Amino acid sequence: MDTSYNLYLNVFSGTESYLERVAFRTTGKSLTYGQLQVRVLHAAIAFRENGIDARSCVALDARKALPSLTATLAFALIGCKWVFASREARKNPLLFITHLVLDGPHNLSTHYKTIIMDEAWHSGRTPDSKLTHASIAGRVEPERTLVIGQSSGTTGEPKFFPITAENAIKRINPKYLLDPSPIPVVASMFHVLHAAIYFVLLRVFAKGGTVVFGINKAHWQKAGVTMLMASPMHAAQIIEGRAGQANGKIPRVWLAGSPVYPAFLDQALEHFDEVINAYGAMEASIVCHHAITHRMTEGEVVGVGPAMDGVELEVVDESGHAMKTGDVGEVRYKTPLLVRGYIGDDDATRTFFRKGWFYPGDTGYLDSGKGLFITGRVNDLLNIGGTKLNAAAVDGVIQSTPGITDGACFTEPGPSGFLQLSVVAVVQSAGSRNKLASELLKRLAKHFAREVVPHSVYFAETIPRNENGKILRAMARTKALAGDWRHVTFAKD
């Protein structure tokens, strides 16, 4: 065993020449590379004193950015594995969690040894001079699990998968950063403990850049942000002014988590010079990306670009045969970063991992230039009286309607007991609801069969989505049936 697969040492191996460069920044605090590394060393020492070593599996529930980042980097230095302390993770015995680490007295547990991170670790004492990063760095085998990722759960219960040291080191390659800036300054609207975002931040550090937290456009511009990471749901906060006002544009935004539509793209290009529409999965990291700098016409489909170098990408039929150019089928791909399967879920592993291919559950097609266009989910077809309807296509029409800032479709029981189509929308002006409902009806009738035009339109403050921005249709149905949203029935309006 040696330290060549220690993730922390790989990320920070070249920082000696720029220890005074800013590594971390929020609206009220910044840390240089030197200060961040000292902070991580203090945390690693404290964790070791509390019994965490390379054999441990830590469930981490840190609510703030700096404690989250400090803890994950300390775990990487020690060589132990960690998982976000979600409810599903904490109740899963197959993860073999040994410790629960918190950044405050929340979510306490009697099942695991609980450690509350303390700022006194970083200011209350001076560690033994013999304890250095190199002296306490865990000796890591290539196949040791360092991070346990969690799937989004849009198709059922979230699934867990191991990211090994060898896989993790491949993931920190700066070519996957999607920001060509010599010294990137990357802001994130996602949480650090989102496994995919964690590796993006490690790429920033590996390239000597700065990570920025805090949702404030003026703060991002002052910090010199070169790229923002966000879901379309997050980016809507900027478009609607909820992230503060500031003049000028940010160079680029990396959007991930849900489809991008032309109307939204037009709005985003008012705030960013470039919109990067990225596609992939946490199990495989980035598969495709498409940098967009121009506006698109209404109804035009926004693609996610061709496969990255080293990725094999296909669209196939139910028998696994490649579809013709332009024909819709199921998306599958092979990547150097693909994990091997799910922990304790052989059925899911057999379903999604087949003969070296990963089947993420998306449908799409390839154009003549091998660019990929996502059309929906394999299991996201709505059956309305025997008529199959692509839910993502309906979402696109809703979200592209002027005056509507977000929207989604779902099914709910109609008066006869059969499922009927309903939609929910977020509007710019509450006074325009009835007019927009009528306009939406016309647009949907133009695009789809009249017999599946929505029975009801609901208006809400927000659309239920998961942390990746994916629509939670079952939750939408629940809210509609519970009467949580303002309801428009076409027959009455």
Side-chain angles (χ1 to χ4, degrees):
M1 295 188 297
D2 57 36
T3 57
S4 60
Y5 284 93
N6 184 286
L7 182 60
Y8 179 90
L9 296 184
N10 274 270
V11 170
F12 290 94
S13 61
T15 60
E16 293 82 1
S17 61
Y18 48 83
L19 291 176
E20 297 304 313
R21 186 182 295 171
V22 174
F24 173 91
R25 187 189 299 275
T26 65
T27 53
K29 190 179 185 68
S30 65
L31 292 174
T32 65
Y33 271 85
Q35 291 170 329
L36 178 61
Q37 289 181 274
V38 169
R39 182 181 178 89
V40 171
L41 178 62
H42 289 169
I45 293 170
F47 287 142
R48 291 210 320 172
E49 291 174 348
N50 280 277
I52 294 177
D53 59 25
R55 299 165 295 179
S56 303
C57 179
V58 181
L60 177 59
D61 183 3
R63 310 295 173 87
K64 298 179 180 178
L66 184 54
S68 300
L69 185 62
T70 301
T72 55
L73 292 177
F75 299 150
L77 179 60
I78 293 169
C80 69
K81 59 186 171 183
W82 67 269
V83 62
F84 169 59
S86 65
R87 175 182 59 84
E88 295 84 3
R90 287 184 284 112
K91 71 178 185 180
N92 190 329
L94 297 179
L95 302 186
F96 298 104
I97 294 170
T98 59
H99 297 76
L100 176 66
V101 170
L102 314 172
D103 63 350
H106 48 258
N107 198 18
L108 297 175
S109 172
T110 57
H111 298 291
Y112 313 108
K113 181 177 179 181
T114 301
I115 302 168
I116 297 179
M117 300 178 69
D118 192 339
E119 279 299 310
W121 293 355
H122 313 294
S123 58
R125 60 180 179 175
T126 302
D128 186 332
S129 59
K130 296 180 181 179
L131 295 176
T132 64
H133 293 88
S135 70
I136 68 172
R139 298 182 182 275
V140 180
E141 306 93 338
E143 294 303 311
R144 177 181 295 175
T145 299
L146 294 185
V147 180
I148 297 176
Q150 178 176 325
S151 70
S152 61
T154 53
T155 58
E157 279 292 306
K159 298 175 286 293
F160 297 91
F161 52 89
I163 299 176
T164 65
E166 183 175 32
N167 189 301
I169 289 172
K170 291 178 182 178
R171 288 179 181 236
I172 65 173
N173 189 324
K175 81 173 185 178
Y176 297 111
L177 184 56
L178 307 189
D179 184 350
S181 306
I183 303 178
V185 181
V186 177
S188 175
M189 295 182 75
F190 295 99
H191 196 283
V192 176
L193 302 187
H194 186 296
I197 300 308
Y198 169 67
F199 281 102
V200 174
L201 302 184
L202 294 188
R203 291 169 204 150
V204 176
F205 291 137
K207 202 173 178 181
T210 303
V211 299
V212 178
F213 287 92
I215 302 175
N216 184 285
K217 188 178 178 184
H219 166 60
W220 295 333
Q221 291 186 323
K222 183 178 180 181
V225 166
T226 57
M227 183 174 75
L228 173 69
M229 294 186 300
S231 69
M233 176 181 63
H234 290 141
Q237 297 181 36
I238 303 164
I239 293 169
E240 296 166 10
R242 288 181 284 143
Q245 300 293 334
N247 295 323
K249 294 183 177 181
I250 294 171
R252 61 189 56 82
V253 59
W254 171 354
L255 294 178
S258 61
V260 175
Y261 299 100
F264 175 84
L265 181 64
D266 285 354
Q267 295 174 313
L269 287 171
E270 296 289 335
H271 300 268
F272 303 94
D273 293 319
E274 181 178 81
V275 175
I276 301 173
N277 193 21
Y279 171 72
M282 284 188 284
E283 294 92 329
S285 193
I286 305 166
V287 174
C288 307
H289 64 94
H290 181 203
I292 305 167
T293 58
H294 64 282
R295 298 175 184 274
M296 295 184 173
T297 59
E298 183 181 338
E300 188 175 355
V301 180
V302 183
V304 294
M308 294 187 68
D309 290 344
V311 174
E312 293 183 56
L313 173 66
E314 292 185 351
V315 175
V316 298
D317 61 19
E318 293 180 354
S319 300
H321 298 122
M323 304 293 291
K324 295 179 182 179
T325 298
D327 286 351
V328 174
E330 184 171 6
V331 177
R332 71 179 185 182
Y333 44 80
K334 296 179 181 180
T335 86
L337 306 183
L338 185 62
V339 301
R340 294 180 179 176
Y342 297 113
I343 297 172
D345 195 336
D346 293 340
D347 288 343
T349 298
R350 283 190 291 268
T351 298
F352 295 99
F353 296 82
R354 289 178 251 162
K355 297 181 179 180
W357 293 96
F358 181 59
Y359 292 74
D362 295 316
T363 59
Y365 64 90
L366 295 171
D367 67 8
S368 58
K370 300 299 182 182
L372 177 63
F373 294 79
I374 300 298
T375 58
R377 298 283 295 172
V378 172
N379 61 352
D380 214 9
L381 288 176
L382 305 180
N383 190 336
I384 312 296
T387 300
K388 301 293 180 64
L389 200 60
N390 187 310
V394 180
D395 295 341
V397 173
I398 301 168
Q399 295 171 15
S400 298
T401 301
I404 293 178
T405 58
D406 197 7
C409 67
F410 58 97
T411 57
E412 61 175 327
S416 62
F418 294 103
L419 291 179
Q420 295 186 344
L421 181 69
S422 293
V423 302
V424 57
V426 179
V427 298
Q428 294 173 337
S429 171
S432 63
R433 286 172 174 165
N434 285 8
K435 182 179 179 180
L436 283 173
S438 178
E439 175 62 23
L440 184 57
L441 174 63
K442 294 176 183 177
R443 284 174 173 258
L444 290 171
K446 179 181 177 181
H447 284 82
F448 305 103
R450 295 197 66 87
E451 62 267 23
V452 296
V453 165
H455 172 72
S456 297
V457 172
Y458 296 89
F459 292 97
E461 295 296 322
T462 59
I463 302 300
R465 297 176 182 269
N466 67 10
E467 63 177 7
N468 298 328
K470 293 182 179 178
I471 295 165
L472 301 175
R473 301 189 198 279
M475 185 178 293
R477 181 186 303 113
T478 299
K479 286 183 173 292
L481 294 176
D484 292 347
W485 294 332
R486 204 268 193 185
H487 179 212
V488 173
T489 302
F490 289 120
K492 296 180 180 179
D493 291 59

